[in-house]
Amino acid sequence: MPRPKPATASNGGWLEGWGWDLLLGSIAAFYAVIAPYTKVEESFNVQAMHDILYHTYHIEKYDHLEFPGVVPRTFIGAFVISILSSPAVFVMRLLDVPKFYSLVTVRLLLSCVTLLSLRLLRVQVKKKFGHQAEVFFVLLTAIQFHLLFYSSRPLPNIFALALVNLAYSFWFKGSNLCTLQALIVAGVVFRCDIILLLGPIGLALLLSRSVSLLEAVKCCVSTALICIGFTVLIDSIMWRRILWPEFEVLWFNSVLNRSSEWGTHSIHWYFTSALPRSMLVAYPLCMVGVLLDRRIVPYMLPVFLFVVLYSKLPHKELRFIIGSIPMFNVSASLAASRLYNNRKKAGWNLLYILMFGAFLVSLGYSAVTFMASYNNYPGGYALKALHEADSSVKQKMVHIDAFTAMSGVSRFCENGYPWRYSKEEEISIEEFQERNFTYLLNEHHSISGYKCLFAVDGFSRVKLQPRIPPLSLVKEPKVFAHGNMRDPDILSLNWPGCP
């Protein structure tokens, strides 16, 4: 009869299997809870999840019908997260918990989905490159700010990122057709630009004879048709017209080239700014990894080409290429593992010390970046402060301007009766005194007919200083709360005033 394993062994096995996920999950959860508000890029999916959870089948009440945005987006990601979080939200509604906590819930659920895909990739890294590479892959990811911070942000890029991580795990595993299928789902449903990653990876698989051309065509066409049919069915119902959202995005960004209206960067910006800031110590290490371990070259080259191809688009943001970071981190982990193994050898020990110091610098930089991001949502903090300051049962109407809405306010932040809200656009400053709003939240310091009650600071820039710490955050008033001077109840409250 076999002897039972001691409890310590089973605990060790649990930690070995899930300990790294617990580390990354704790960091991502910390980011989501401490900085729960969302910005304009996330607004569609945030409002969609709110409406699915709170308005259910009453589509006429959905936010996107009044504020459709520049291009339509798919509801599929919002449906998935809403369904997963609906039991918790149902209980909170029964207990009359503020909707704000539902926002935290959906953010945490999205982070779980993203990190689950990252776990699948991590497991394959361990199988292919060893336990030490896995350890450094986790540590490099943990000290980088952006990947874990973005993991809970309801962007189309993050829904696509989960599928890209899944594709990478299939790729390492040797399931090549599944790799193509995951990328096609990501491209057809969530982010059409994933085609720039699908192309190089597909070409690499064909050139290495990992798949045949006939197999690839059959797999890609059938998967694409199923995904197109699914997204057209769901999104045509939600948008009340026949459409394939990502095709319209592709047309807008690539054919019309309208995305450049939101700003442009130089062709080298991803390589000289975005990737160095997001990857930190892993950026130089990923280049060294290609030189030290040839096994990673067939995987790195297609992902590198993805970033090169994306660099041709004038409008650039880190979130567009965030899917490249996990693969680059794999290469960096191989370099870090080699330096660690040779740390006692002459010449290598200095490189190891430099790498260790770079780890600490990266950790400090991520802390500063988080503090800057924490102060980047003045609209959300302003609405929260307004709710806390006025606890009367008298009905009040709050007008929220575009800047405030884009810097943290969503439907999840709204309270029930007696609060009412308006996001009516194109109201001139002079017209406000003729309207019967109780409060205004906007970016203007003074408005006729209203008293400035308080201001909320937001992040402005980072300043170097000749002391410890060498970096400090410069904040300035971003959102101002105004009260109607014709309402004596407002003026009787104790407000801090504006600077």
Side-chain angles (χ1 to χ4, degrees):
M1 184 174 180
R3 297 174 60 186
K5 294 181 179 180
T8 53
S10 62
N11 291 339
W14 184 89
L15 286 174
E16 184 179 349
W18 294 95
W20 296 122
D21 305 303
L22 184 61
L23 171 64
L24 297 181
S26 298
I27 297 171
F30 172 80
Y31 290 151
V33 172
I34 301 300
Y37 300 108
T38 55
K39 298 197 76 173
V40 59
E41 298 89 352
E42 307 154 67
S43 61
F44 169 76
N45 279 307
V46 168
Q47 310 290 32
M49 288 188 288
H50 169 274
D51 294 341
I52 292 168
L53 289 168
Y54 286 89
H55 297 317
T56 59
Y57 57 86
H58 298 287
I59 301 177
E60 70 279 0
K61 297 181 180 180
Y62 279 38
D63 183 85
H64 72 286
L65 297 178
E66 184 178 0
F67 302 99
V70 179
V71 288
R73 288 294 185 184
T74 181
F75 272 83
I76 292 175
F79 269 120
V80 171
I81 302 302
S82 298
I83 291 170
L84 292 175
S85 59
S86 58
V89 174
F90 176 75
V91 172
M92 286 189 282
R93 293 184 69 178
L94 288 179
L95 299 176
D96 201 24
V97 175
K99 289 194 293 185
F100 168 79
Y101 295 97
S102 297
L103 172 61
V104 176
T105 301
V106 297
R107 293 262 326 263
L108 291 175
L109 256 297
L110 175 57
S111 184
C112 287
V113 172
T114 309
L115 293 180
L116 178 60
S117 70
L118 199 63
R119 169 187 164 77
L120 297 175
L121 174 58
R122 174 182 65 79
V123 169
Q124 293 305 317
V125 169
K126 180 181 179 180
K127 290 181 178 179
K128 193 170 187 68
F129 302 108
H131 173 67
Q132 207 159 268
E134 174 200 27
V135 171
F136 279 107
F137 175 76
V138 173
L139 294 179
L140 288 168
T141 303
I143 64 174
Q144 293 167 351
F145 168 73
H146 292 89
L147 190 61
L148 294 181
F149 184 76
Y150 273 87
S151 70
S152 67
R153 304 221 152 254
L155 294 158
N157 313 81
I158 301 306
F159 291 113
L161 174 64
L163 289 164
V164 169
N165 287 336
L166 182 63
Y168 290 156
S169 68
F170 284 137
W171 197 9
F172 283 142
K173 190 178 181 180
S175 302
N176 300 313
L177 292 180
C178 292
T179 301
L180 298 177
Q181 288 176 322
L183 293 173
I184 288 170
V185 175
V188 170
V189 177
F190 296 110
R191 285 295 305 189
C192 59
D193 45 31
I194 297 298
I195 192 174
L196 298 178
L197 181 61
L198 172 66
I201 291 179
L203 183 60
L205 293 175
L206 289 173
L207 293 177
S208 64
R209 298 184 179 180
S210 300
V211 296
S212 68
L213 180 60
L214 183 60
E215 280 182 324
V217 170
K218 285 182 178 178
C219 172
C220 293
V221 171
S222 60
T223 305
L225 290 176
I226 292 172
C227 291
I228 291 170
F230 188 64
T231 184
V232 169
L233 174 64
I234 297 298
D235 293 309
S236 296
I237 294 173
M238 301 307 297
W239 285 94
R240 295 184 168 181
R241 64 184 176 92
I242 303 296
L243 88 158
W244 170 15
E246 281 310 298
F247 179 78
E248 293 200 12
V249 174
L250 179 66
W251 186 269
F252 182 88
N253 288 338
S254 301
V255 179
L256 301 180
N257 197 24
R258 294 276 306 278
S259 63
S260 57
E261 297 174 8
W262 279 261
T264 61
H265 288 94
S266 58
I267 195 170
H268 55 78
W269 184 79
Y270 284 132
F271 293 102
T272 58
S273 180
L275 287 173
R277 285 185 292 108
S278 59
M279 293 183 62
L280 304 174
V281 64
Y283 189 56
L285 284 176
C286 78
M287 304 176 196
V288 177
V290 172
L291 300 175
L292 295 179
D293 196 326
R294 297 297 178 88
R295 293 176 298 172
I296 196 63
V297 175
Y299 301 99
M300 276 286 289
L301 186 58
V303 180
F304 173 78
L305 289 176
F306 161 66
V307 182
V308 170
L309 291 171
Y310 221 129
S311 297
K312 297 290 290 181
L313 192 68
H315 179 58
K316 296 178 174 65
E317 293 186 42
L318 169 62
R319 59 191 174 96
F320 295 163
I321 60 158
I322 197 168
S324 66
I325 294 178
M327 183 60 75
F328 290 159
N329 281 346
V330 175
S331 179
S333 69
L334 298 178
S337 178
R338 183 70 66 88
L339 289 172
Y340 178 80
N341 288 336
N342 294 281
R343 66 190 183 280
K344 296 182 180 179
K345 296 180 181 179
W348 289 85
N349 51 5
L350 178 60
L351 294 175
Y352 174 72
I353 293 172
L354 290 175
M355 182 185 75
F356 183 75
F359 267 70
L360 296 179
V361 172
S362 298
L363 186 61
Y365 180 87
S366 292
V368 173
T369 307
F370 169 69
M371 290 307 300
S373 298
Y374 172 78
N375 290 285
N376 229 358
Y377 304 90
Y381 298 128
L383 185 57
K384 179 184 178 182
L386 189 62
H387 288 154
E388 292 174 348
D390 189 345
S391 58
S392 67
V393 295
K394 179 182 177 182
Q395 184 170 296
K396 39 238 174 187
M397 171 68 80
V398 183
H399 181 269
I400 299 167
D401 77 341
F403 176 79
T404 305
M406 291 189 298
S407 61
V409 174
S410 69
R411 297 289 174 117
F412 280 111
C413 302
E414 298 176 355
N415 285 352
Y417 185 87
W419 295 91
R420 295 172 59 208
Y421 306 88
S422 168
K423 292 193 293 183
E424 184 180 347
E425 299 177 343
E426 299 179 0
I427 301 179
S428 65
I429 296 181
E430 295 78 15
E431 188 180 348
F432 276 117
Q433 61 182 335
E434 302 172 5
R435 307 292 291 271
N436 196 32
F437 293 117
T438 314
Y439 295 107
L440 308 176
L441 291 177
N442 54 44
E443 55 184 329
H444 303 291
H445 184 275
S446 60
I447 296 178
S448 298
Y450 291 81
K451 178 184 178 181
C452 190
L453 307 175
F454 63 87
V456 175
D457 292 342
F459 171 72
S460 177
R461 67 184 189 278
V462 175
K463 181 177 68 174
L464 289 171
Q465 55 188 14
R467 63 175 186 267
I468 302 297
L471 299 177
S472 67
L473 302 182
V474 178
K475 296 185 288 184
E476 59 185 34
K478 294 282 188 178
V479 173
F480 299 87
H482 305 270
N484 196 322
M485 296 182 67
R486 291 174 292 179
D487 191 331
D489 294 332
I490 294 176
L491 302 181
S492 66
L493 297 175
N494 185 24
W495 301 101
C498 296

